[in-house]
Structures are given as structure tokens and as C-alpha cells.
Amino acid sequence: MTSTERPFLNRSLAEFGTTIFAEMSALALRTGSINLGQGFPDTDGPEEIREAAVRALRDGRGNQYPPGPGVPELRTAIAAHQQRRYGLSFDPDSEVLVTAGATEAIAAALLALLEPGDEVIALEPYYDSYAACIAMAGGRRVPVTLRPDGSAFRLDLDELRAAVTDRTRLLLINTPHNPTGTVLTRAELTAIAELAVERDLLVVTDEVYEHLVFDDAEHLPLAGFPGMRDRTVTIGSAGKSFSFTGWKVGWITAAPALVSAVRSAKQYLTYVASGPFQYAVAEALALPESYFAGFRADMHAKRDLLAAGLAEAGFGVFHTSGTYFITTDVRPLGESDGFAFCRALPERAGVVAIPNAVFYDHRDQGAPFVRFAFCKQTGVLEDAASRLKTLAA
Ligand SMILES: *Cc1c(COP(=O)(O)O)cnc(C)c1O
């Protein structure tokens, strides 16, 4: 949509059209297609956690405004999770903040930490709210592009280093990375940490897929690297870790001065959210390791199923080490424009996907890439794979 069609929208948001997910989900509905566009699971998380939410609601816990920082039970559970899983200690009172999903955490962090004109380096392709939130905060985004390197997308550390200027305030990192499925390695994270320390940068790290890493990939929180503890805001989400994306429970962990800054912005966005769900997520975070291992194994099998189907249909398939997503290359199918391909795919094969170009500033760099979500039931993925086979014919 052009600005003449939206005469009241302010300049900072004018460049952002309606999100692609609205267009593609409407297209899926209209054509009866299988929607592998938006990343939400089509089965809910653990039954006992749903029951915990019902119990909280019935017992009158969280039905009125919860405390601004989040209910103490949840903040304690978040701190315990970071300690148990990563050996990182956070004080539940001063170093944890519950937010309305990771989406609000991203917005509040950027609104709180940026001055107008500050540069933010973000890994491109990026999650679609990053660019809009940087703009709303008056910042300038500086993309550093992940590029195909063999079977996966990789970060070029020299390019990252070269992107830092005297105006750079913040690195916005995302690992495991949506949409490429790249999981940053220990060596890459070490280099990012060294750069942040050397140039005295803040780091906001979106780790909502921390539990979804496959093969021998390992999720390492950036906050655990030398010099990072007090300059890093780490973001997590119950939507992604427990398959309750509609509950909108997210959180940050950070040093007290950063948490208090982010809380200042957050209190004038939603103030609070998701009262009863906060109690349920506290229980979810305390689930035994078998839950997380089972969740990971299930998603791993779904990844393999969809990756095989996409390869059989003739796509170039990049290796996904984490997240819900597989990025493909449509050029082996004789296509070059992912946008046109995704607009035609529902008619051609009855499947909806997302053109990665929407996640790029340099749209030409993302043109041939298309993202498919595999966080769907096995039968749905099998059906999608068999529909996509028509492309190979
Ligand atoms: C889904 C997602 C979010 C948003 O998480 P919510 O908790 O649903 O707000 C943030 N970042 C990335 C990379 C995501 O994929």
C-alpha cells in the first residue's frame, strides 16, 4: 500500500505495508491451501499446562492486573530455567521482566535503549517486527546479511565488524535464526561478544527458539560469554517453547539497569498482560527435561519430513539447525522471484509459503528464497509434500 492510501500514518511507519502474513493467510483460506506460511503450531502445548491455566483462571489468580514486572512465580521460574539450563544466575526481582510475548520485549527494549539516530545492527533477513520497532524508536537499522554458504546461511564476521560505526548503539541478534534456521556457533558468538565489548555496544538477543535446535547444534546464550552479562538483554517466549503462541507470554533477563530501562517503556505499552497464563507458564518452565527432549525430537522429525518433501519437489533446500522453518531456493524449479512464486503457489499446488524477500532491506538478496514452516501435524506435512510433488512433474 502506498502512503496516499494511508494518509494518516506517520513517516516512521510509512514504509511498512501490511504484514505479508495477513496477505498469505487470507490467500490460504480463499484457496483452501495448506498454510505453511505463518509459524504457529497446529497442535497445542502440554495438556497439564492448559489445565494449569484453567486452574489459575478458576482460582482467581491473574484475572486482575498482575504486578508490572510479572507474577513472582513466573519470574522465579524464568530465573530457575536460566540457571538450570545455562548456569546463568538472574535475580527474579531485579533481573527478570515478563512481557506480552517476545514481540513486546523487542519493542520495549528498542524504545527504551535507543536515542533518535542511533544505529542498530540486525542480522538480515530479519524477523519482521525488528525493522518497524527500530523505526518507531527513531533508530537507523544497519543490516548485516546472512549468506548461503554451502548448505546453510552463515554470518560474515568481517562484515559485521565493518558495519560498526561511532553511531552504533546496539546489536540485535537472533539465534536460532528465523527465517534461515541458522544457529550461531560458539566461535561466532565469541566474536560477536568480543566486538560488543571492544566497541561498548548493547546487545539485544532474541532466543525464542532456544529449545528448538537439531542434530549436533547447541543453543548457547550470548549472555554467558565473557563481558556480556551486563550489556545483554535476552528474550524468551512461552509461545515458541511450549506451543502456546496465543497466550503471548514472553520475558527478558538482563542486568538490573537494563531491566529497569525496558520496564519503563513496557509499562506504557501494555503495562501487563496474560495474568492467568503467567501462572501456567511458570509450571511449564519447570517441566522435566523429558518434555523439552520430546518437543525437540518431534520438531526434528517434522523438519526431516518436510525437508525431504521439498527436495523431492525440486526445491533447493537449506539445512535448518533450529527454529520452525526451512528456507528453500526456487531457482532449481526454474523460478527466480520468490514473491511471484508464493503468490502463484496456492493455485499451482495448494500450499502457502512466505517469500523471504520481505525479511530483507536488500530485497534482491532474498529474491529466490522461500520459507516453509514445519511446526504442523505429520499428516499435514505429508499432504503438503505430496501436493508439492506436482511442481516436479
Ligand atoms: C515468533 C517470534 C517472536 C515473537 O514471539 P511472541 O512471543 O509470539 O511475541 C519473536 N522473534 C522471533 C524470531 C520469532 O520467530
Side-chain angles (χ1 to χ4, degrees):
M1 223 183 272
T2 65
S3 58
T4 49
E5 291 166 62
R6 294 184 301 180
F8 298 110
L9 186 61
N10 75 35
R11 253 177 304 166
S12 73
L13 287 176
E15 70 172 290
F16 303 103
T18 307
T19 130
I20 187 77
F21 301 107
E23 180 189 342
M24 289 300 169
S25 292
L27 191 59
L29 218 55
R30 202 163 63 237
T31 56
S33 293
I34 297 176
N35 190 354
L36 302 185
Q38 200 170 8
F40 61 89
D42 61 355
T43 41
D44 290 341
E47 175 64 29
E48 72 226 76
I49 302 305
R50 271 188 286 166
E51 284 305 319
V54 171
R55 239 185 301 118
L57 226 142
R58 283 222 182 88
D59 295 349
R61 286 178 299 143
N63 291 329
Q64 308 303 330
Y65 297 134
V71 303
E73 288 85 347
L74 178 52
R75 282 184 280 117
T76 301
I78 292 165
H81 172 271
Q82 297 305 93
Q83 178 71 60
R84 194 173 65 241
R85 194 150 200 100
Y86 306 120
L88 295 173
S89 301
F90 290 96
D91 171 34
D93 290 327
S94 61
E95 298 187 310
V96 179
L97 174 67
V98 177
T99 56
T103 305
E104 188 192 38
I106 294 159
L110 294 170
L111 288 167
L113 301 176
L114 295 180
E115 297 287 350
D118 281 351
E119 291 177 1
V120 176
I121 295 176
L123 307 184
E124 178 185 62
Y126 35 64
Y127 182 65
D128 69 336
S129 82
Y130 296 173
C133 287
I134 293 168
M136 286 192 273
R140 292 203 335 104
R141 66 180 182 275
V142 177
V144 170
T145 308
L146 304 185
R147 294 213 171 74
D149 177 8
S151 65
F153 284 78
R154 293 256 66 99
L155 172 63
D156 182 331
L157 290 166
D158 291 330
E159 230 176 287
L160 177 67
R161 234 172 264 120
V164 178
T165 73
D166 294 340
R167 309 289 324 251
T168 309
R169 174 68 170 149
L170 191 148
L171 302 179
L172 179 50
I173 304 296
N174 172 214
T175 184
H177 183 261
N178 173 5
T180 63
T182 296
V183 175
L184 296 176
T185 62
R186 185 181 295 278
E188 288 165 336
L189 291 164
T190 300
I192 292 170
E194 284 170 1
L195 181 65
V197 169
E198 179 192 321
R199 303 300 295 262
D200 195 21
L201 306 174
L202 294 175
V203 177
V204 173
T205 176
D206 179 341
E207 302 183 1
V208 299
Y209 296 104
E210 63 189 306
H211 289 290
L212 290 178
V213 291
F214 312 123
D215 312 311
D216 52 1
E218 188 186 3
H219 173 70
L220 299 167
L222 203 38
F225 284 75
M228 297 304 282
R229 176 66 175 72
D230 291 335
R231 65 175 71 246
T232 303
V233 174
T234 303
I235 297 175
S237 164
K240 302 297 162 59
S241 290
F242 303 106
S243 304
F244 290 117
T245 59
W247 289 8
K248 295 302 288 190
V249 177
W251 54 83
I252 67 162
T253 49
L258 287 168
V259 164
S260 109
V262 178
R263 194 169 55 227
S264 296
K266 186 255 181 322
Q267 67 187 337
Y268 298 117
L269 293 172
T270 58
Y271 175 47
V272 292
S274 311
F277 297 128
Q278 291 192 27
Y279 292 96
V281 172
E283 293 192 27
L285 284 162
L287 284 169
E289 178 52 30
S290 58
Y291 160 75
F292 296 100
F295 180 46
R296 195 160 47 241
D298 182 45
M299 284 295 177
H300 190 147
K302 291 174 192 294
R303 180 204 67 174
D304 290 349
L305 176 59
L306 185 61
L310 290 165
E312 209 179 322
F315 290 87
V317 179
F318 291 101
H319 185 77
T320 280
S321 297
T323 76
Y324 286 161
F325 305 108
I326 294 173
T327 285
T328 60
D329 188 336
V330 296
R331 284 173 294 193
L333 289 164
E335 306 273 340
S336 56
D337 177 357
F339 255 111
F341 178 82
C342 286
R343 290 214 166 94
L345 192 59
E347 291 295 343
R348 284 179 71 189
V351 174
V352 160
I354 298 291
N356 284 28
V358 301
F359 306 123
Y360 286 77
D361 276 337
H362 309 107
R363 293 225 158 173
D364 54 318
Q365 302 252 3
F369 305 127
V370 166
R371 188 192 84 174
F372 290 84
F374 55 81
C375 48
K376 307 293 174 183
Q377 294 174 56
T378 301
V380 172
L381 296 173
E382 282 166 352
D383 188 3
S386 93
R387 292 180 183 207
L388 289 166
K389 264 188 223 155
T390 59
L391 297 174

